[in-house]
Amino acid sequence: MMVAGLGAYALLYASPYGLRVLTVAGGYALAALGFQIVFGLGGALSLAHGAFFGIGAYATGILGSQWGWGFAATFPVSLLVPLLLALLVGLPVLRLESHYFALATLGIAQVVHLLAVNSPGLTGGANGLPGVPGIVLFGWAVPRGLPLAAVVWSFVALGGLLAWRLARGRWGRALTLVRDDPLAAGTLGLDVGGLRLAAFALSAVYAGAAGALAVHTQR
């Protein structure tokens, strides 16, 4: 019903400003889906989600604006870089529990923020990255307005479908048990650490994708 309502609004009622807001909201909706995996299913309050969003945005933005790469080439990079960072930092921080884990991920977010602001030659610093190209798919430069909103929400739909299938499958049920009772999950033979790491890494992929969509739609 919600998807049908958004589609009807976009097709029949939305002004150019409304379509712009809808496009921006799509990127954040994708990021929220990723946060639902690590926090909603896994029960881990990750405060590094915004950092992964920014890393995905910078990865695709730098390659697009400074190296001339197209969206089809940069988008996979915006998924891979946050994934690798999540796997790297997830191994130690996921050993922490409750608010200690949250504080550790907050520290990661602050480090990423400081690096971004204090590296103007690479990231543009506080002024951001100029000249990031728009989304080009199969040689078609997606124009602003309804086409761009449709492309962004197509990514949201794909991400939502994947998250829905994972949540209702064996992996999602196992992760929910880890959230509710880690000790019971361990006694049942579940890999508690591996499940948490997978949820953390997958949420980073979602955040990176959302960041890529955000930076390529800021024209």
Side-chain angles (χ1 to χ4, degrees):
M1 289 293 294
M2 184 182 69
V3 174
L6 286 174
Y9 168 75
L11 289 170
L12 302 175
Y13 303 108
S15 64
Y17 175 75
L19 289 171
R20 175 62 187 153
V21 171
L22 195 62
T23 302
V24 174
Y28 289 115
L30 190 60
L33 287 171
F35 192 70
Q36 166 63 16
I37 293 172
V38 67
F39 181 59
L41 292 179
L45 179 57
S46 171
L47 300 180
H49 205 61
F52 295 131
F53 181 99
I55 290 170
Y58 276 118
T60 189
I62 291 170
L63 292 174
S65 62
Q66 300 181 16
W67 292 80
W69 288 26
F71 176 79
T74 64
F75 185 73
V77 179
S78 69
L79 309 183
L80 181 61
V81 175
L83 171 63
L84 294 177
L85 180 61
L87 292 174
L88 178 65
V89 301
L91 290 172
V93 300
L94 284 168
R95 297 178 182 272
L96 303 173
E97 296 292 339
S98 185
H99 53 282
Y100 296 109
F101 170 77
L103 288 173
T105 55
L106 177 61
I108 295 167
Q110 290 303 306
V111 169
V112 172
H113 172 73
L114 290 173
L115 288 174
V117 172
N118 293 287
S119 304
L122 180 65
T123 65
N127 294 321
L129 286 170
V132 178
I135 296 177
V136 178
L137 297 174
F138 307 107
W140 175 51
V142 181
R144 295 186 65 172
L146 183 59
L148 188 58
V151 167
V152 170
W153 278 94
S154 295
F155 279 98
V156 178
L158 289 173
L161 178 61
L162 175 60
W164 179 80
R165 290 182 65 88
L166 287 173
R168 281 155 181 78
R170 292 181 59 185
W171 184 82
R173 293 194 297 271
L175 188 60
T176 302
L177 179 59
V178 169
R179 177 198 66 195
D180 295 338
D181 195 335
L183 183 60
T187 59
L188 291 174
L190 296 177
D191 183 359
V192 174
L195 286 166
R196 284 177 169 170
L197 182 61
F200 187 61
L202 185 57
S203 73
V205 171
Y206 272 78
L213 292 176
V215 76
H216 279 287
T217 55
Q218 293 297 318
R219 294 180 299 126

